[in-house]
Amino acid sequence: MMDMREKQLSYEYFFEGHIMKARLDQALLPNGKTAPREVCEHVGGVGVLPIDRDGNIIMVRQFRYPYAEEILEIPAGKLDHGEGESIADCGARELKEETGCTAGRIVPLGCVYPSPGFLTEVVHLFAALDLAEGEMQPDEDEFVEVVRLPIAEVEQMIVRDEIRDAKTMAALYRAKLKGLY
């Protein structure tokens, strides 16, 4: 089997923000040549698929600035609360903030790489089961609408290209494969 690893020779940061950094690397390729690699380092995040006792998915609709449109997706957030917060705790926090729900059970669904060609972000996925309803606690810069839909309708919305969010599709599919619905 061919060794396809590339080795970083140099790097230069062009932007350093709160949740991401952008850099340009020079990489040594397996054939001995070099190539530029644009890399966006991201803090990572979580996505939580809340499934209620009636077989509905609790989703959020929110405006996503990079796409200039409202997107229907599962509750999600960044791993930006420091070392003291576990990944599962981050998922539980985001679930509570965006939907008001707390989960009796959080089931890991693995992780996904949203755009591995340039982005280091890893999104950790969970299913939230045995839900208890409560008050939403959105961040002050977060405006979300909770939408509760039957699983079959969410699946059909994916088929009709009405749901395009990758973490939502991956979480739903993994939950199905694990027999969670």
Side-chain angles (χ1 to χ4, degrees):
M1 185 168 22
M2 179 180 166
D3 183 358
M4 293 185 282
R5 288 178 289 186
E6 299 178 7
K7 180 182 176 194
Q8 182 187 62
L9 298 174
S10 65
Y11 64 91
E12 182 178 0
Y13 284 97
F14 288 91
F15 175 79
E16 296 188 43
H18 178 67
I19 63 166
M20 57 84 60
K21 299 176 185 179
R23 68 176 205 255
L24 178 62
D25 292 4
Q26 287 300 316
L28 179 63
L29 305 179
N31 65 2
K33 296 182 179 185
T34 62
R37 295 290 186 243
E38 296 175 7
V39 179
C40 179
E41 298 175 5
H42 189 279
V43 297
V46 298
V48 181
L49 178 73
I51 305 172
D52 72 14
R53 287 178 176 86
D54 297 324
N56 296 305
I57 303 294
I58 300 173
M59 303 179 76
V60 293
R61 181 184 317 282
Q62 61 185 318
F63 183 80
R64 289 300 197 176
Y65 187 84
Y67 298 101
E69 66 182 75
E70 290 180 7
I71 293 179
L72 191 60
E73 61 189 278
I74 60 175
K78 297 176 292 301
L79 295 169
D80 62 353
H81 278 61
E83 297 279 330
E85 183 179 59
S86 73
I87 294 168
D89 288 345
C90 178
R93 174 178 51 78
E94 289 294 338
L95 177 66
K96 176 70 174 164
E97 286 177 6
E98 294 186 9
T99 69
C101 294
T102 54
R105 268 192 319 147
I106 297 275
V107 179
L109 297 175
C111 62
V112 293
Y113 301 154
S115 191
F118 76 98
L119 182 61
T120 66
E121 181 180 22
V122 176
V123 179
H124 303 268
L125 302 172
F126 298 91
L129 307 170
D130 304 328
L131 300 175
E133 309 267 338
E135 291 289 318
M136 292 172 56
Q137 300 170 347
D139 293 334
E140 74 176 33
D141 64 346
E142 194 169 44
F143 304 93
V144 298
E145 173 191 358
V146 175
V147 178
R148 189 180 304 254
L149 294 167
I151 292 171
E153 177 61 20
V154 174
E155 290 175 333
Q156 285 306 303
M157 291 176 80
I158 291 169
V159 169
R160 294 189 306 260
D161 198 30
E162 295 170 11
I163 294 177
R164 296 180 175 176
D165 178 61
K167 71 183 170 301
T168 298
M169 290 185 275
L172 192 68
Y173 188 57
R174 287 190 177 170
K176 185 174 194 167
L177 291 175
K178 288 183 174 252
L180 297 177
Y181 71 88

